[in-house]
Amino acid sequence: MIWRLARRCSALLAGPVLLVLIYAQMSAALPAQAQPPERSIAWLTLGDSYGAGEGASGATGHCQRSLNAAGPKAATILSEEAGWTISPQTFAACTGAYAADIFSSRSELTRADYEIYGQAVGAYPEGAEIQNDESLYDWVGTEGSPSQRFDVIVTSFGGNDVGFADVVAGCTDIMRALVRAGGAVGGSVASPWTDFVTDVVTDRAADRIDEEGCGPVAQELEGRVAELLNEPRMPAAGDSPRRGSAGNLVDFYRTVADDLLAEDGVVVVLGYPRLTTPSETWGRWRGDRCNMLSGEDADRLGSAAEEFDRRLEDAIESIDARFEYVSRLVIFDDGGNYHSLCGRGVEWLNTPLLFLRDGTGRYQRGFHPNDLGYLATAEAVAGVVQDRLGVALQPPPSSDPQPTTTPAPVRSSEPHFDVGEEFDAECTIAWPTAPARGIDSIQMRTFCPSVPDQFLFVDVVYGDPDLDVSPSRATMRVRGTIVDVVRSEYGFTVLAVEAQEIDLR
Amino acid sequence: MPPLPDHLGPTRDYIAGDGGLLITGLLEAADQALREGEGMRSCEIAIDTLDGLGSPQEVFAAAQGLPDAAGAEIAVRHASALTTFLGTCVTQDTVPAPDELTFTSTILRRRLDALE
């Protein structure tokens, strides 16, 4: 993607003039956008936590639905940036959803003692947006019109079915050492803590990784993905009347399309990103650790995520032409400009240690995308939908078969907080950190309320060492360019901004 | 800091009970480990304190079990930092840099104060 190339070039050179040139070329090189359809587009978002928007701002309730999730956000982008009319919109996604929830109610699942790898599937809590006697399919009807068919269905399922969260938890070095300590294998009985801390630091457990560590669990994921795609997800569904309910995930999706998709509509299936960037890209200061994961284990999980993505893509693309697969793994990898955890650039996932690491405060939403991650996914979804349903401005130049290309994302005009972008926000100096004044500039550590919480501070450099700031005069409008994204060794992230203009309040 | 839970009662009851003793014990052990001028002895004292508190599983479970989810995350993070600090001390015969443990101690102490 040209805009990605531009972003990386700008990260290296970071000159405003160069940026103007690059972005001017980028704009000229973008393909002409399709015209909006002449009719209103009915839109459905259906899925699990990655579909609901857990981890995004505005996520509420048991289901953690947020309008910043990829599905509704893509609809907003097409509406605001491309003039589409999208109505009605239905949002039937819920954190913790399994493939079996599509056609089975939680009451049915609990009656059948349905389990996911030893974990019983429980009832929804009191007050949840979805009732225990309704499936997600039923919920679509109650959220919208029961007979509604949709032009666009954006969906994601599978992460909970393969138990990815439990696998990750089992791969952290301290968790592993705790398990080992529970087994009381050898060592000093007199001081269990001496054994324990030694075990963690020397990662003795990792030496036996092929026996009890992350390795076999990550390998097991491959088998779980195969089951998800090939074996029935609801073995006891014989008493469920709905067709497709005894099938695998692919059968479920096919049935959803048969029952809910309008003629010429599209089902966009979202995959899952890798959670951490490849360990070879980590900063040395991390000491080969990322959120309590060792480099080796993170890479094992990364390989499992790649396998999950590849198999899911193959399965979805083999269904029929109504389906499109959007690989979040590819989006987050961004051509080697990684946005998963512990990369050097802007992270698009929340860490499991959120507020200690990046100041977001969304402590229960670790390992889920943040607003920027959902935004990037939404732009890709909008591009796919525009490619499928938009009215092309010009007919193809020839009838020869055209090479298959990934549709260009529809870029939102919202700030992306990436290097090279313009910056415009109201900020206040984060006293007691005092400004530093040099020969020809002033540096200020500031807090800017409109900047996403993952950036704990914005460090502003401005070419006026005599700028009249003080503890009583510390709020200002800052306009300039983002020149870097810096991560403290404590884990929080800081935007570095070169200010061209500052208006003191 | 993240917002406090809507209902503080369960968290306060927990802190006043056995779980709270284990969590405050983690802070005490960290203070001992960070005490300047005692070299490796400070780590030994901290480990003795932890052994007196309970097994690693019990202590981590107590941290994880704090009803305030944010507080639990902070407590687990502190327990992890303390573990790494002491592990480095024991295996490398050197007292590690105190930055991270000081940071997690401060944050956990602030959270417990806010929950009172």
Side-chain angles (χ1 to χ4, degrees):
Chain A
M1 299 291 171
I2 290 174
W3 63 270
R4 289 179 188 152
L5 178 64
R7 196 167 52 200
R8 275 193 282 164
C9 287
S10 66
L12 292 172
L13 301 169
V17 175
L18 177 72
L19 286 174
V20 169
L21 288 173
I22 288 174
Y23 279 101
Q25 290 177 346
M26 176 193 78
S27 302
L30 282 174
Q33 288 192 339
Q35 293 275 46
E38 293 172 354
R39 59 193 167 85
S40 181
I41 295 297
W43 191 290
L44 168 65
T45 300
L46 177 72
D48 56 12
S49 57
Y50 270 69
E54 178 161 2
S57 58
T60 57
H62 166 73
C63 287
Q64 288 290 290
R65 287 182 299 175
S66 167
L67 293 178
N68 290 314
K73 192 73 179 178
T76 301
I77 290 170
L78 284 171
S79 173
E80 293 184 352
E81 311 292 339
W84 288 41
T85 302
I86 297 177
S87 180
Q89 286 194 55
T90 303
F91 197 179
C94 194
T95 193
Y98 300 95
D101 287 315
I102 299 175
F103 291 114
S104 302
S105 69
R106 280 294 165 98
S107 300
E108 288 174 314
L109 294 177
T110 50
R111 271 202 306 274
D113 294 326
Y114 188 60
E115 289 185 348
I116 295 290
Y117 301 107
Q119 299 286 320
V121 172
Y124 298 122
E126 195 174 333
E129 304 90 312
I130 180 171
Q131 304 302 308
N132 278 305
D133 61 355
E134 62 183 358
S135 65
L136 291 174
Y137 187 95
D138 298 329
W139 198 25
V140 172
T142 55
E143 285 278 295
S145 163
S147 58
Q148 177 74 51
R149 280 185 175 261
F150 298 90
D151 302 291
V152 178
I153 300 176
V154 180
T155 184
S156 81
F157 284 99
N160 294 317
D161 292 87
V162 299
F164 207 76
D166 292 337
V167 169
V168 172
C171 285
T172 63
D173 49 10
I174 285 183
M175 292 292 289
R176 211 162 49 210
L178 282 169
V179 170
R180 180 179 131 72
V185 182
S188 161
V189 177
S191 177
W193 274 91
T194 301
D195 276 2
F196 176 68
V197 300
T198 304
D199 204 3
V200 170
V201 170
T202 60
D203 211 8
R204 290 194 319 225
D207 294 339
R208 296 181 304 281
I209 197 162
D210 291 332
E211 297 168 28
E212 62 187 46
C214 185
V217 185
Q219 285 168 10
E220 192 184 330
L221 264 181
E222 296 179 14
R224 293 182 179 190
V225 170
E227 287 180 19
L228 172 70
L229 299 172
N230 299 306
E231 294 181 14
R233 303 307 303 163
M234 184 53 197
D239 55 353
S240 180
R242 197 165 287 123
R243 66 197 170 94
S245 56
N248 56 47
L249 181 61
V250 172
D251 297 328
F252 287 173
Y253 277 146
R254 191 180 288 114
T255 307
V256 165
D258 290 346
D259 287 4
L260 295 176
L261 193 66
E263 191 176 350
D264 298 328
V266 61
V267 180
V268 181
V269 179
L270 302 175
Y272 299 85
R274 72 175 83 241
L275 299 181
T276 65
T277 61
S279 64
E280 65 184 12
T281 68
W282 297 353
R284 270 196 310 172
W285 60 270
R286 290 189 182 279
D288 201 37
R289 285 285 183 282
C290 169
N291 295 300
M292 294 191 281
L293 282 170
S294 71
E296 186 175 10
D297 288 348
D299 289 342
R300 287 171 192 266
L301 288 174
S303 297
E306 288 172 13
E307 177 74 9
F308 189 10
D309 182 67
R310 188 165 52 246
R311 290 204 191 186
L312 199 54
E313 179 172 21
D314 288 348
I316 298 306
E317 294 192 338
S318 70
I319 303 177
D320 58 48
R322 296 174 296 177
F323 288 83
E324 295 277 1
Y325 182 72
V326 169
S327 168
R328 248 190 281 227
L329 189 134
V330 170
I331 294 170
F332 279 52
D333 280 1
D334 193 12
N337 193 32
Y338 298 102
H339 295 284
S340 295
L341 295 176
C342 299
R344 292 178 189 269
V346 177
E347 289 181 342
W348 288 350
L349 283 166
N350 293 316
T351 77
L353 305 167
L354 285 177
F355 46 89
L356 294 180
R357 289 273 168 186
D358 60 16
T360 64
R362 294 192 289 264
Y363 44 84
Q364 73 275 55
R365 301 175 193 174
F367 290 133
H368 285 82
N370 55 30
D371 282 344
L372 296 178
Y374 282 116
L375 178 62
T377 310
E379 290 175 335
V381 171
V384 168
V385 172
Q386 179 175 254
D387 187 61
R388 289 288 294 258
L389 301 185
V391 179
L393 287 175
Q394 295 172 336
S398 77
S399 57
D400 294 338
Q402 298 296 308
T404 304
T405 56
T406 304
V410 179
R411 185 141 170 106
S412 167
S413 54
E414 284 184 28
H416 292 62
F417 297 97
D418 219 336
V419 172
E421 276 204 342
E422 288 183 3
F423 181 88
D424 185 348
E426 185 158 288
C427 302
T428 300
I429 295 175
W431 302 99
T433 306
R437 298 178 194 267
I439 294 171
D440 56 10
S441 67
I442 182 171
Q443 296 182 25
M444 299 169 284
R445 173 150 290 188
T446 71
F447 170 71
C448 315
S450 63
V451 170
D453 291 342
Q454 75 185 86
F455 304 108
L456 197 56
F457 299 110
V458 176
D459 284 350
V460 177
V461 178
Y462 184 56
D464 178 5
D466 297 320
L467 187 70
D468 184 19
V469 291
S470 65
S472 61
R473 195 162 188 247
T475 298
M476 64 199 86
R477 182 174 179 187
V478 178
R479 276 174 281 205
T481 305
I482 297 170
V483 294
D484 205 352
V485 178
V486 184
R487 190 158 295 114
S488 156
E489 291 194 18
Y490 286 148
F492 61 79
T493 308
V494 177
L495 275 183
V497 169
E498 195 173 281
Q500 275 92 50
E501 192 176 338
I502 285 184
D503 295 325
L504 282 167
R505 300 301 191 203
Chain B
M1 291 287 258
L4 296 173
D6 292 337
H7 305 292
L8 285 170
T11 302
R12 286 176 174 160
D13 291 346
Y14 188 89
I15 292 172
D18 292 344
L21 281 178
L22 295 183
I23 293 173
T24 51
L26 279 169
L27 285 171
E28 184 188 349
D31 288 345
Q32 291 165 339
L34 291 167
R35 195 160 291 149
E36 289 182 17
E38 296 192 23
M40 296 290 297
R41 177 74 187 133
S42 63
C43 294
E44 292 167 12
I45 293 170
I47 287 177
D48 284 347
T49 297
L50 290 170
D51 282 333
L53 284 177
S55 70
Q57 295 95 325
E58 288 168 331
V59 173
F60 269 84
Q64 182 81 52
L66 193 64
D68 164 35
E73 184 102 31
I74 292 172
V76 170
R77 184 76 188 94
H78 174 66
S80 303
L82 180 59
T83 298
T84 306
F85 184 95
L86 294 174
T88 305
C89 199
V90 166
T91 58
Q92 297 178 18
D93 286 341
T94 180
V95 180
D99 300 10
E100 186 184 12
L101 187 56
T102 305
F103 179 68
T104 60
S105 291
T106 304
I107 296 289
L108 176 56
R109 197 162 265 126
R110 282 186 193 169
R111 188 67 182 184
L112 293 178
D113 287 346
L115 289 167
E116 274 184 0

